Amino acid sequence: MLYYLVRRILQAIPVLIGTTFLIYFMVFAMPGNPILGLFGDRAPNPALLERLEEQYQFNQPFIVQYLNYLGNVLQGNFGLSFSGQSVNEILARTFPVTLQLAAIAIVIEIVVALALGLISGLRPGGIVDYFSLGFSLLLISMPIFVLCFIAQFFFAVQLGWFSPTVGANTSIGNMLLPGIVLALFVIATPIRLARTSVMETSRSDFVRTAYSKGLSRRRVVPVHILRNSLIPVTTQFGSDFGLLIVGATVTEGIFNVPGVGNTLYQAIIRGERPTVVSFVTVMVLIYLIVNIVIDLLYAALDPRIRYAK
Amino acid sequence: MTRLLEVVDLEVGFRTGNGVVKALNGVSFTIDRGESVAIVGESGSGKSTTAAAIINLLPGGGEILGGKVLFEGKDLAKASTAELEEVRGKRIGFVPQDPMSNLDPVWSVGFQVRETVRANGLATDRAGAKAKSIEVLQQAGLPGAEQRFHQYPHQFSGGMRQRVLIGMGLAANPSLLIADEPTSALDVTVQRRILDHLDSLTENSGTALMFITHDLGLAAERASKLIVMYKGRIVEAGPSLEILRNPRHPYTQRLIAAAPSLASRRIQASGAGEVAPVASGEQQAALEVEQLDLASAAEHRLQHEDARREAGDAIVVDELTKVFKIRQGGFRSTEFTAVDKVSFSIPKGTTTALVGESGSGKSTVAKLLLGLETPTSGAITIDGRRTDALTGRARFELRRRMQPVFQDPYGSLDPLMSIGSIIAEPLTVHGVGDRASRRQRVLELLDQVALPRVLAGRYPNELSGGQRQRIAIARALALKPEIVVLDEAVSALDVLVQAQILSLLAELQEELGLTYLFITHDLAVVRVIADNVCVMQKGRIVEQAATDEVFDNPREQYTRDLLEAIPGASLLAS
Amino acid sequence: MRSDLSTGRASDAPHYVSDFADEAVVQIDSVKLDERRSNLWIDAWRDLRRRPVFWVSGVLILFITVVALFPGLFTSVDPRFCDIAKSNAGPEAGHVLGYTRQGCDVYARIVTGTGTSLSVGLIVVLLTSVLGILFGSLAGYYGGVVDAVLSRAGDIFFSIPYILAAVVIMSVLSAHRNIFVISLAIGLFAWPSTARVMRAEVMRVKNADFVMASIALGLSRFRILLRHVLPNAIAPVIVISTISLAAAITAEATLSFLGVGLPNSIMSWGNDISQAQATLRTEPMPLIWPSLALIVTVLSFILMGEALRNALDPRARARR
């Protein structure tokens, strides 16, 4: 297990170097003064310009610039935003909000996806199966912003069940609608996958053997079928986490949730490139960390991984 | 007193896209207390469906359409789920076929035994359940049961897993144990030990045994009563020895004639004399149409052996060694010697069998010969030319003289190519002939392997396993090679089809003067096809001699173990 | 011939033999051919033909393609002609879906935007398929160092969510926003999923015995890859490409919605939705119509992918 953990973290290192290099390359390997380029057609604030120059050290060769930047990222120093604020300060303020939103979305996602996947996998061709198939296909086809507007329009504006925007009040009740929307955005794949793996596990030899031992359905379904189906669903969750990040960015923006995603959203909309770059880097780091955690969870779920050397 | 199990006119169907397909057509039989009954049949005969229908665990889409399953007087076909759960495990134990897939990979072995113990009310508290579970595992012959209690299935070997499954099947001392091909997935020597253990357990507890198998010899050896099934019906049933000695149904007769284990025993029993026919008189006529009596086929081979034998060796293998590096993660790796200084030679026009259990290195030898792997050291000489000295063109030319046939009939043909282009591929690759002549050769080859010519325009998945194997043979023969490497080429086939392919191979050898390297785990098949035998164990050849000598006077203990594992020893020798 | 011991039931006789007549033992392993030929593609087509989902999505895709190629057949209104006086006005003759906030014809803009969405989708899929098939098959087929390098490279690109990567690229290239650049920005980071599927399939196929048989024939490794491995590994890639096309259309709309996609001079549903959001509460229709067009288009490809998956996926096939 320890061996697996160490190996997994070692594997993440080249990926971390690669991703940060790619981002850095995409932004700063462009012709012209990269700092002016960051500001596009706007006139930069001279004081900020100076501090940015200090931060990025553009007089150095490219590789030194990159290593500086990587060093900063590894120390948890993500630099400055467009307005000159430290990205770390913004993170400290916004991250808990995003965590709360993500938690709501993930809990809904897991519970609903497993429930629908389990029922439709146990009874393929049944009503629930057809409903969840149609439901998930429709959801896959909806871009996140359309989903947000539909929810905002019907549930907040028309029905008045929720407030259309969250603003400063980040209570659970207020965060519920964006949380549900975000969950719906990412839920289709886990539903389909849970269904497939429940179906396949139900047909597996060991499930039949479990019944032949005299076990009841009430025991076989959770202990053998569901437990085994969790493994592929968990793995997929890691690869799909990118979708959750993009979804959170747009959802927070549209519902005005004061989180990390909203900061990125506003920066994109306003074309504040230094902020965009810093926050995309933050998101990629989160993605990498979450994937390591998922892999550990996967090892915890699957003894074949846990006890493999 | 009611009988233990009485199956009456059982009918089972499977729902498919095109309506219901019947798998069982009125099956009736009985099993008395303490009796052992074997159900024998080929794949698709309905033998496993019968087993599953008794405990009402038919796979998806399966349904009991009619008939009764009276177990201790109660009809299980109409029993409620709760009643069935009460019977399963407690009154009827079940041992499944494949030990690799029948234990839940995510729970420890101890957990899975304990849940069986608890579900069947064998213990009420935690400690009691654990103690009972360990006892169950010990009884099943699992060494170190207490220490291994918390280990997971993937940490167990196949044989050990099967012991766990047998333990669970017998945990509650059921009055009937259904064993569905319980050892087919295991190595022969392991198979024998496990079956012996199963026998002693059921005998001691007076449990009746319903034993499902495709091997008639094994069935007769392990059960006092035989039921032969064919296409969802029972064709013949009765006392085992009676059926073996006096089979009446033409299907049973064929099955006995084609079973390698029995054929090998019959050859053994006949000594130097004539092999006794399976059936006599007019019944024999039915058999001769297909000419599938393996024992007489083998005799025929021997008679023609001198004619086949030419001077010289087709293949000489000298001190062949293959070492694999196994990565242990990171930068560490260990060396594994798959083939260890193996030497043998195959005279032209003869068959040499390479026999061994899984992991013995026999398939690696085949791969080395075929140039699919490079030897670590040692030399291979084919037709007097050392292969390691050959370069590009010469090596390419050499491939024409030696062609393989592999085990898996479903994987050995490219599913997207028509059968015509599959057979013609060797010709196109080696630039033999023009389009028209290649087409002619394809038709010729189809004739040779006794398949209709229309198949040339068809695709592999329209064919059965045996037919695909014929196509693979036709492809191997396309370039008129002198040597054919048969890597478990008949192992995946049903007995009758297997016998058919074996006799086809013998015919082709006689006709074309082919040299065969026959790789197999099944020593029984060796007896009927091979001139010489090399027995492999852990990468080495432990015994090497003419077939008769190996069978009559085995020198090594390992060879003797393998020979004893061929079922049917006690049956026909008398 | 009937056995005298037989009384009809196996259970009653000591040695039961069934009637020979009704158990005519057919010739062993005789060839029984269906009238129709059968291989993966023939079977898949036969399967697809029976699926209503395939026909519905096929007709929709055909229709969308026609709209994209010949927008003039469906509208004669200039989508760029806007009359601010008609801002958010309702439907009227010749303008069936009403007007946008800027007073442009909603229907004409949707019709013209179809080409944009479809072009981006096709270019992205072309890019991800070429990169994915190339890298995936090389990694899966040659293994070892090639696999290690290509798979790690794939991991790196996969670790930046492709929409975020496209946001960065499009921000930097703000002066060069057009259909090709946005497709490149999306495709450059979306190929690893195709490559992963391809790699897994190639690894499955390359161990098949028919590949071994071809090696034993002396066919070169690369030829085997082209002749045997790729054709047998391509089916799941077709499925995932169909779904990628839908995802690319969504990605373009999302980027345009965020203001880092296509400029307003290029007709895009994402842009129109973005502009209609300000008046969502009072005038939802200018937002709903392009959203609907987007959903229907994406759904068509998703449904097609679903139908293809059921027909082609080896696991789905094995289940039948």
Side-chain angles (χ1 to χ4, degrees):
Chain A
M1 183 71 182
L2 183 70
Y3 177 79
Y4 176 79
L5 173 72
V6 171
R7 208 179 88 158
R8 184 63 189 80
I9 289 174
L10 284 178
Q11 272 177 352
I13 292 173
V15 177
L16 174 74
I17 295 173
T19 45
T20 47
F21 184 82
L22 267 181
I23 296 172
Y24 202 75
F25 182 82
M26 285 190 296
V27 178
F28 296 108
M30 300 298 152
N33 181 338
I35 299 221
L36 287 179
L38 277 179
F39 287 85
D41 351 315
R42 305 188 192 191
N45 169 347
L48 178 64
L49 198 62
E50 205 171 292
R51 285 172 66 191
L52 278 173
E53 262 170 2
E54 186 193 334
Q55 183 196 338
Y56 289 115
Q57 303 187 358
F58 284 112
N59 43 359
Q60 305 275 351
F62 177 76
I63 192 73
V64 177
Q65 293 175 33
Y66 165 69
L67 289 176
N68 261 325
Y69 158 83
L70 182 66
N72 278 327
V73 167
L74 287 180
Q75 286 163 36
N77 174 10
F78 296 101
L80 299 172
S81 76
F82 185 82
S83 55
Q85 228 182 334
S86 142
V87 170
N88 291 51
E89 277 169 34
I90 303 178
L91 274 180
R93 193 176 69 237
T94 54
F95 196 70
V97 180
T98 298
L99 213 58
Q100 196 188 343
L101 179 74
I104 296 172
I106 291 170
V107 168
I108 295 174
E109 178 193 1
I110 291 174
V111 171
V112 175
L114 285 183
L116 283 180
L118 186 64
I119 298 170
S120 33
L122 289 175
R123 291 193 196 288
I127 295 174
V128 177
D129 188 21
Y130 277 109
F131 164 77
S132 75
L133 174 65
F135 181 64
S136 42
L137 289 181
L138 193 67
L139 284 177
I140 292 183
S141 310
M142 287 213 217
I144 177 66
F145 55 99
V146 171
L147 207 57
C148 287
F149 287 134
I150 291 174
Q152 209 176 30
F153 183 72
F154 285 102
F155 297 107
V157 178
Q158 297 286 76
L159 297 169
W161 291 353
F162 301 91
S163 116
T165 52
V166 173
N169 174 12
T170 56
S171 65
I172 295 271
N174 238 358
M175 297 273 270
L176 200 55
L177 186 59
I180 294 172
V181 169
L182 187 53
L184 290 180
F185 178 59
V186 291
I187 207 168
T189 323
I191 293 179
R192 307 284 290 139
L193 194 66
R195 171 188 184 269
T196 318
S197 55
V198 165
M199 248 164 82
E200 272 168 14
T201 315
S202 306
R203 265 193 292 252
S204 68
D205 286 347
F206 64 80
V207 165
R208 190 175 74 139
T209 301
Y211 282 121
S212 81
K213 299 192 295 190
L215 301 191
S216 65
R217 200 176 160 81
R218 262 182 33 220
R219 173 150 181 106
V220 174
V221 169
V223 173
H224 294 288
I225 297 179
L226 189 61
R227 176 65 176 68
N228 272 281
S229 308
L230 281 181
I231 296 172
V233 176
T234 310
T235 335
Q236 184 65 31
F237 185 83
S239 348
D240 279 355
F241 193 75
L243 208 60
L244 193 82
I245 289 178
V246 172
T249 306
V250 176
T251 311
E252 287 188 3
I254 292 176
F255 285 95
N256 194 23
V257 178
V260 187
N262 196 10
T263 319
L264 176 58
Y265 179 85
Q266 300 300 339
I268 296 170
I269 298 262
R270 297 193 191 123
E272 299 173 356
R273 258 178 258 166
T275 322
V276 171
V277 175
S278 302
F279 276 82
V280 167
T281 313
V282 170
M283 297 292 195
V284 170
L285 278 183
I286 294 175
Y287 178 89
L288 289 178
I289 293 166
V290 165
N291 268 282
I292 292 177
V293 174
I294 293 282
D295 278 1
L296 294 183
L297 200 60
Y298 173 53
L301 285 173
D302 193 341
R304 283 162 295 188
I305 304 293
R306 205 182 325 151
Y307 292 103
K309 277 214 278 179
Chain B
M1 194 180 141
T2 55
R3 303 193 115 150
L4 179 65
L5 179 73
E6 190 168 4
V7 174
V8 187
D9 286 328
L10 186 62
E11 287 186 26
V12 170
F14 284 91
R15 265 174 285 126
T16 67
N18 320 315
V20 177
V21 177
K22 273 207 177 169
L24 293 186
N25 261 317
V27 167
S28 306
F29 63 93
T30 57
I31 297 179
D32 286 327
R33 284 169 209 282
E35 196 180 25
S36 58
V37 175
I39 301 191
V40 191
E42 297 182 284
S43 50
S45 62
K47 57 186 194 302
S48 287
T49 307
T50 308
I54 290 171
I55 48 174
N56 220 324
L57 281 179
L58 289 165
E63 228 178 311
I64 295 180
L65 301 174
K68 291 179 194 151
V69 179
L70 297 169
F71 179 72
E72 294 178 333
K74 185 176 188 64
D75 189 0
L76 296 184
K78 294 186 183 64
S80 70
T81 314
E83 286 168 323
L84 278 167
E85 277 164 15
E86 196 54 30
V87 171
R88 286 182 203 141
K90 205 178 281 180
R91 314 287 307 127
I92 303 181
F94 181 79
V95 180
Q97 176 168 12
D98 181 4
M100 293 308 173
S101 63
N102 275 292
L103 288 169
D104 188 335
V106 306
W107 297 110
S108 72
V109 165
F111 177 95
Q112 296 183 56
V113 180
R114 201 169 52 202
E115 76 176 355
T116 316
V117 165
R118 297 198 83 148
N120 293 305
L122 301 175
T124 41
D125 59 336
R126 249 188 113 75
K130 184 170 179 184
K132 173 72 189 168
S133 304
I134 290 175
E135 189 194 317
V136 162
L137 287 174
Q138 274 164 348
Q139 253 171 19
L142 187 82
E146 208 161 345
Q147 293 79 42
R148 306 202 72 178
F149 196 73
H150 294 290
Q151 288 190 345
Y152 288 87
H154 72 272
Q155 296 164 306
F156 283 64
S157 71
M160 288 300 130
R161 292 188 209 194
Q162 197 56 298
R163 285 178 190 270
V164 173
L165 286 162
I166 289 174
M168 293 196 299
L170 286 170
N173 241 334
S175 40
L176 173 67
L177 183 75
I178 301 176
D180 185 0
E181 303 247 15
T183 55
S184 309
L186 303 172
D187 271 334
V188 279
T189 49
V190 182
Q191 230 175 65
R192 186 167 185 83
R193 279 202 297 277
I194 289 197
L195 288 178
D196 286 346
H197 194 73
L198 183 65
D199 277 355
S200 68
L201 285 178
T202 47
E203 218 161 282
N204 289 342
S205 57
T207 302
L209 178 67
M210 176 173 159
F211 183 69
I212 314 266
T213 179
H214 64 275
D215 188 332
L216 203 72
L218 193 65
E221 189 176 74
R222 299 288 166 179
S224 56
K225 209 166 101 183
L226 277 190
I227 295 174
V228 181
M229 286 189 73
Y230 177 65
K231 293 200 166 164
R233 286 172 201 275
I234 293 175
V235 294
E236 189 157 357
S240 301
L241 283 178
E242 160 73 13
I243 288 193
L244 277 201
R245 295 202 176 121
N246 187 20
R248 296 183 175 212
H249 198 280
Y251 179 74
T252 318
Q253 290 167 4
R254 279 185 176 188
L255 218 50
I256 292 174
S261 57
L262 296 173
S264 128
R265 290 295 174 195
R266 271 186 289 141
I267 298 171
Q268 195 80 2
S270 71
E274 186 121 325
V275 176
V278 171
S280 53
E282 52 182 314
Q283 289 171 352
Q284 180 68 20
L287 275 171
E288 273 164 6
V289 182
E290 289 279 332
Q291 283 193 339
L292 277 182
D293 189 344
L294 277 185
S296 32
E299 201 181 17
H300 180 81
R301 270 180 55 79
L302 283 173
Q303 282 160 8
H304 292 72
E305 195 178 359
D306 297 335
R308 272 185 288 123
R309 185 154 289 172
E310 299 166 40
D313 288 332
I315 301 176
V316 179
V317 171
D318 188 31
E319 299 266 298
L320 192 64
T321 301
K322 175 71 185 178
V323 179
F324 287 108
K325 277 204 164 63
I326 299 177
R327 289 197 45 191
Q328 295 231 300
F331 298 100
R332 286 176 298 155
S333 64
T334 51
E335 291 195 337
F336 169 69
T337 310
V339 176
D340 196 359
K341 294 196 182 136
V342 162
S343 305
F344 62 89
S345 56
I346 308 181
K348 274 184 190 162
T350 68
T351 302
T352 293
L354 209 53
V355 192
E357 298 184 286
S358 54
S360 62
K362 57 188 192 300
S363 283
T364 312
V365 172
K367 287 197 169 125
L368 291 167
L369 270 177
L370 291 165
L372 303 176
E373 298 273 5
T374 343
T376 310
S377 67
I380 300 167
T381 311
I382 290 167
D383 272 342
R385 303 176 71 184
R386 294 237 338 209
T387 53
D388 48 352
L390 297 178
T391 49
R393 191 72 214 168
R395 189 174 283 265
F396 183 69
E397 283 303 317
L398 185 72
R399 291 187 184 279
R400 293 181 62 159
R401 316 174 78 162
M402 180 163 59
Q403 280 296 303
V405 177
F406 294 109
Q407 171 174 15
D408 176 17
Y410 293 87
S412 61
L413 309 176
D414 185 339
L416 292 180
M417 280 170 79
S418 74
I419 286 161
S421 8
I422 289 171
I423 301 178
E425 193 186 8
L427 303 172
T428 40
V429 170
H430 284 264
V432 176
D434 55 7
R435 229 186 157 72
S437 74
R438 285 202 289 259
R439 164 129 194 108
Q440 196 47 46
R441 177 84 181 122
V442 167
L443 298 179
E444 231 174 84
L445 286 160
L446 281 172
D447 292 344
Q448 251 173 0
V449 296
L451 285 174
R453 292 181 163 203
V454 289
L455 285 187
R458 298 302 193 122
Y459 291 93
N461 61 348
E462 299 174 51
L463 299 180
S464 73
Q467 290 155 7
R468 287 173 199 224
Q469 237 23 10
R470 285 163 185 263
I471 302 288
I473 293 171
R475 174 179 56 190
L477 293 180
L479 290 166
K480 303 186 175 158
E482 286 118 58
I483 304 162
V484 179
V485 177
L486 302 152
D487 188 357
E488 299 269 16
V490 296
S491 308
L493 305 174
D494 270 330
V495 266
L496 290 182
V497 181
Q498 188 183 50
Q500 206 178 32
I501 301 285
L502 285 173
S503 53
L504 173 70
L505 287 170
E507 269 167 40
L508 289 169
Q509 183 170 47
E510 199 174 316
E511 202 178 307
L512 306 171
L514 296 168
T515 307
Y516 289 148
L517 175 62
F518 193 90
I519 290 163
T520 183
H521 67 279
D522 189 351
L523 208 52
V525 172
V526 169
R527 178 103 228 206
V528 300
I529 187 144
D531 301 298
N532 297 296
V533 183
C534 301
V535 180
M536 280 190 82
Q537 186 189 20
K538 292 176 185 158
R540 293 167 185 268
I541 292 185
V542 293
E543 180 153 3
Q544 179 170 17
T547 308
D548 282 339
E549 205 173 311
V550 169
F551 275 76
D552 296 336
N553 305 305
R555 288 193 315 270
E556 293 292 317
Q557 184 55 42
Y558 182 67
T559 315
R560 276 196 285 275
D561 289 347
L562 285 179
L563 284 172
E564 271 167 28
I566 301 177
S570 55
L571 301 169
L572 291 141
S574 54
Chain C
M1 187 161 40
R2 192 183 165 88
S3 162
D4 42 14
L5 285 170
S6 163
T7 53
R9 258 191 204 169
S11 46
D12 306 327
H15 185 161
Y16 162 87
V17 181
S18 78
D19 238 343
F20 292 1
D22 58 69
E23 278 305 329
V25 181
V26 290
Q27 211 175 357
I28 297 164
D29 209 20
S30 60
V31 179
K32 274 176 253 123
L33 289 176
D34 203 29
E35 278 169 36
R36 301 173 302 183
R37 275 146 219 252
S38 143
N39 71 18
L40 171 67
W41 299 107
I42 299 171
D43 292 354
W45 170 236
R46 218 173 274 153
D47 181 279
L48 279 177
R49 260 187 342 203
R50 287 185 291 124
R51 288 179 189 274
V53 170
F54 168 73
W55 290 110
V56 170
S57 59
V59 166
L60 275 171
I61 290 172
L62 197 70
F63 174 72
I64 292 163
T65 313
V66 172
V67 174
L69 287 176
F70 313 105
L73 291 178
F74 297 87
T75 179
S76 49
V77 179
D78 181 0
R80 287 183 183 80
F81 175 80
C82 307
D83 180 0
I84 199 70
K86 300 231 169 178
S87 176
N88 284 338
E92 57 180 51
H95 304 275
V96 285
L97 301 181
Y99 294 88
T100 68
R101 192 151 69 98
Q102 288 78 20
C104 321
D105 182 76
V106 170
Y107 173 72
R109 290 188 71 87
I110 289 176
V111 168
T112 344
T114 313
T116 311
S117 282
L118 217 55
S119 317
V120 173
L122 285 175
I123 299 171
V124 170
V125 163
L126 200 69
L127 199 67
T128 56
S129 305
V130 169
L131 291 176
I133 290 173
L134 187 69
F135 293 160
S137 55
L138 292 179
Y141 191 64
Y142 290 104
V145 183
V146 181
D147 184 23
V149 170
L150 289 176
S151 292
R152 284 300 85 73
D155 285 351
I156 291 169
F157 280 86
F158 194 78
S159 296
I160 309 180
Y162 65 94
I163 292 195
L164 290 189
V167 163
V168 173
I169 298 177
M170 295 306 286
S171 306
V172 173
L173 295 178
S174 55
H176 314 279
R177 288 179 186 168
N178 60 44
I179 289 180
F180 283 102
V181 171
I182 196 171
S183 307
L184 211 68
I186 298 168
L188 213 54
F189 283 80
W191 60 267
S193 16
T194 313
R196 284 181 180 189
V197 171
M198 191 69 199
R199 174 175 176 272
E201 276 302 295
V202 165
M203 283 173 69
R204 181 182 65 84
V205 177
K206 80 165 178 185
N207 289 319
D209 281 345
F210 62 81
V211 171
M212 290 292 169
S214 296
I215 301 176
L217 275 178
L219 198 62
S220 79
R221 290 267 280 154
F222 188 67
R223 289 235 173 142
I224 292 173
L225 175 65
L226 293 187
R227 196 184 293 186
H228 295 292
V229 179
L230 280 186
N232 279 290
I234 207 79
V237 174
I238 292 175
V239 175
I240 199 168
S241 293
T242 317
I243 293 165
S244 303
L245 205 150
I249 292 176
T250 312
E252 180 274 317
T254 308
L255 291 172
S256 296
F257 170 80
L258 288 171
V260 288
L262 295 169
N264 282 328
S265 56
I266 302 173
M267 221 55 67
S268 157
W269 296 335
N271 276 336
D272 283 1
I273 294 168
S274 173
Q275 277 168 13
Q277 67 170 311
T279 51
L280 171 68
R281 295 181 197 193
T282 48
E283 296 292 340
M285 292 326 275
L287 187 144
I288 286 174
W289 289 121
S291 301
L292 211 58
L294 185 57
I295 293 171
V296 169
T297 306
V298 173
L299 190 61
S300 308
F301 286 100
I302 293 280
L303 288 177
M304 178 58 84
E306 199 65 22
L308 287 173
R309 187 199 302 282
N310 284 325
L312 286 171
D313 186 331
R315 287 207 299 177
R317 258 183 293 135
R319 263 178 249 137
R320 267 183 284 130

